[in-house]
Amino acid sequence: MSSDATPDPYDHPVAFGQRLKILRERRGMTREVLAGLVGMSGSWVKRVELGQLQAPGLDMLMRLAQALRIRDLSELTGRPDMSADLFIGPGHPRLAAVRAAVDALPLGAPVAAPPRAEHLAARLAAAWAARHSAPDHREKIGALLPDLIRDAQLAVQYAEAPADWRAAQAVLAEVYSLSQFFLAYQPDSSLLWRVAERSMVAAQQSTDPHTIGVSAWLLAQAHRDTGPDHYDAADDITQQTLDYLTPLLPDAADDVLAVAGALTFEAGYTAARRGETATAWRYWDTAKDMAAQLPAPYYHPVTSFSQAIMGAHAVTVAVELHAGRESVRQAARADADTIPSRPRRARHRIEQARGYQLDGQPDVAIATLDQAYEAAPETIRYNGYARAIILEEVESKGADRRRRASELAVRVGLLAA
C-alpha cells in the first residue's frame, strides 16, 4: 500500500474520531457537509474527530452512519457487537406494545366471553381498511394490533368445536400477517421472523387455502429480503404453495386466485433479484394473465394483487434488474392513481424514483419521492431505497436539487430541521 493511500480503518484498532474522519474523507465529504446532514456544526465534527468529545450516543451514531451511507453500523463503531443493518428504518413508538403482545402467553383462568372468530374477522377487515386509507398507516395499525393479537390468541385457546378452532387459527394467521406490515423495516428482525413463522403455523392449522397462501407469500418475502443466501428458500416456499393452490384454482374464489397471482409475481421478483431477466418477465406475464381473470375493481387487501397493481409490478421488475431505461418506460405506463391503497401507492412512487435514479434523472427522482411522501409519509420514512436516494441528492452539486432533497430529508426525518 502506498504511503499516500487512504488508510483502512480496520487494519488496526483506531479511535472513533479517527474512524469517522477516514470514512468521511472516503466519501469526499467536508466536515461542514457532514455536520449539516446530522444537524450539528462543523466544529462539533472536528472536535469528535480529534477525540476532544466522546463518541456520540446511538441516535447520533445512526445519523452519522446514514449520512456517510454506511450499511452496517459496525463499520463506523469498529465493534462487531454493535452491528446493525442501516437499511432498517427507525423504531415506531408503538413497536414496544406490539412486541409485548406478540411475546405474551395467553394463560390463566378462562375468560368470561372468549372472542369469536367472526367478530375478530370484522375487526381485522377494519384494520386493513385503515391501513390502506391512512397516510400514517403504521400508527393506525400499531394502535389496533396489541388487542387484536391478544384476542386472536384467546379465540384459538378457548375454541371448543374443531371448525371454530380452525376459523380462529385463520384469523390469528392473518393478524400476524398484518403485524408483518407494521414490523417491516423496523429494528427488530427477530420479532418479524417470529411473527412470520407463527403466521405460517396458524395458517397450516386452519387448513384454509387463502390463509395458507397469504402466510406463505409473506414468509417468502421475509426470506428474499434477507439476502441472496435466502433466495432459494423464498423460491421453495413460493413454488410449494403454488403447487398446493394450482389444482384449486378452477373453482376458487377471487381471493384464492389473487393470492396465487401474488405468489406468481413473487417468483418473478426473486428472479429479478437474481438478475434472471427472461424468468422474471415470464412470471410477470403469467401474473398479469391471472390478474386479468379478476374483476376490474378487485383489490386484494393483503397482497394488493389486482389489475391495477401490475403496472407497478412491472416497474419493480425493471428496477430490480437494474434496467434504468426500461424502468422509466414502465413508470411512464403505470398509473399510480389507480392503486387504491395509500401506502402501496407511495411504495410504487418510490420504485419509480429508483428507476429515474438508475436512468440518471435525479431531479425527477426527487420530485417522485415528494409524491410518495404526499401519499403516505410513513412509507417513505421507513423505506431504505428512498432514504438512500435522498441522502445521495442532499450532497448534489446542483444547488436547487440539493435544496429540494434537503427539504425532503427534513420532512422524512433524515436531517434536523
Side-chain angles (χ1 to χ4, degrees):
M1 182 173 173
S2 64
S3 59
D4 59 348
T6 304
D8 188 331
Y10 314 112
D11 277 348
H12 303 285
V14 294
F16 174 82
Q18 293 173 287
R19 190 179 296 274
L20 176 63
K21 180 180 179 181
I22 291 167
L23 293 170
R24 173 180 63 78
E25 290 179 344
R26 281 188 172 183
R27 292 284 304 128
M29 191 182 295
T30 66
R31 285 172 176 152
E32 287 69 26
V33 168
L34 178 59
L37 289 171
V38 299
M40 302 298 285
S41 66
S43 62
W44 178 85
V45 174
K46 180 178 180 179
R47 293 175 67 195
V48 172
E49 291 183 349
L50 292 175
Q52 296 173 355
L53 293 176
Q54 291 185 340
L58 182 59
D59 180 67
M60 182 53 70
L61 283 175
M62 296 291 282
R63 283 182 175 271
L64 288 167
Q66 288 173 339
L68 294 165
R69 296 209 295 280
I70 299 167
R71 185 168 183 109
D72 195 308
L73 191 61
S74 64
E75 295 182 45
L76 179 59
T77 64
R79 293 174 52 183
D81 61 323
M82 290 191 68
S83 178
D85 186 346
L86 295 178
F87 230 52
I88 298 296
H92 193 278
R94 294 193 182 273
L95 176 60
V98 173
R99 183 192 297 116
V102 171
D103 290 343
L105 294 175
L107 304 176
V111 294
R116 296 174 59 185
E118 56 267 33
H119 292 165
L120 286 170
R123 287 166 57 188
L124 188 56
W128 282 116
R131 178 187 180 270
H132 289 304
S133 62
D136 57 340
H137 49 94
R138 286 181 192 267
E139 172 63 24
K140 297 297 185 186
I141 63 174
L144 297 172
L145 275 172
D147 286 344
L148 271 172
I149 292 168
R150 182 200 63 217
D151 289 348
Q153 290 174 335
L154 289 172
V156 170
Q157 184 176 354
Y158 293 110
E160 295 180 354
D164 293 337
W165 182 79
R166 288 192 296 271
Q169 290 282 14
V171 173
L172 179 60
E174 193 169 333
V175 169
Y176 283 140
S177 294
L178 179 62
S179 301
Q180 289 175 74
F181 280 86
F182 173 80
L183 294 171
Y185 308 115
Q186 293 207 55
D188 196 338
S189 57
S190 64
L191 182 62
L192 177 65
W193 276 106
R194 194 151 66 250
V195 166
E197 289 165 354
R198 287 188 188 181
S199 177
M200 194 70 248
V201 170
Q204 290 172 309
Q205 299 282 10
S206 78
T207 70
D208 177 66
H210 174 256
T211 304
I212 291 169
V214 167
S215 296
W217 178 76
L218 281 163
L219 185 58
Q221 286 192 358
H223 277 284
R224 185 195 66 228
D225 290 345
T226 300
D229 289 347
H230 287 248
Y231 288 171
D232 287 346
D235 283 336
D236 287 344
I237 293 166
T238 300
Q239 192 55 56
Q240 289 173 32
T241 310
L242 284 171
D243 289 345
Y244 162 69
L245 291 176
T246 298
L248 308 176
L249 295 183
D251 302 312
D254 288 342
D255 60 352
V256 176
L257 177 59
V259 80
L263 284 159
T264 301
F265 171 70
E266 284 305 313
Y269 195 151
T270 306
R273 281 275 176 94
R274 293 180 188 275
E276 299 170 350
T277 301
T279 302
W281 286 114
R282 175 170 56 81
Y283 276 118
W284 180 85
D285 283 334
T286 303
K288 185 173 184 289
D289 291 341
M290 296 173 77
Q293 299 176 44
L294 295 166
Y298 178 87
Y299 191 85
H300 191 264
V302 183
T303 67
S304 295
F305 193 77
S306 57
Q307 294 183 29
I309 207 66
M310 292 312 300
H313 282 340
V315 176
T316 295
V317 169
V319 167
E320 292 294 343
L321 290 168
H322 304 287
R325 185 58 53 86
E326 180 64 17
S327 301
V328 170
R329 191 177 76 86
Q330 293 294 345
R333 297 176 61 185
D335 185 359
D337 293 335
T338 64
I339 302 173
S341 167
R342 291 185 72 143
R344 189 60 185 84
R345 192 157 64 245
R347 164 73 187 283
H348 172 51
R349 292 297 192 193
I350 293 167
E351 295 292 275
Q352 287 181 312
R354 291 177 67 195
Y356 289 123
Q357 194 77 355
L358 279 171
D359 196 47
Q361 301 186 50
D363 289 306
V364 183
I366 291 297
T368 307
L369 289 178
D370 274 322
Q371 294 177 309
Y373 184 87
E374 293 304 318
E378 285 194 342
T379 295
I380 188 172
R381 189 168 290 131
Y382 286 83
N383 187 281
Y385 295 114
R387 292 152 66 92
I389 292 172
I390 294 168
L391 286 172
E392 182 171 345
E393 297 312 323
V394 161
E395 300 176 41
S396 168
K397 294 181 179 179
D400 183 62
R401 187 191 313 154
R402 187 169 63 248
R403 176 188 58 79
R404 290 188 294 112
S406 297
E407 290 172 353
L408 183 56
V410 170
R411 284 185 286 161
V412 171
L414 290 174
L415 293 182

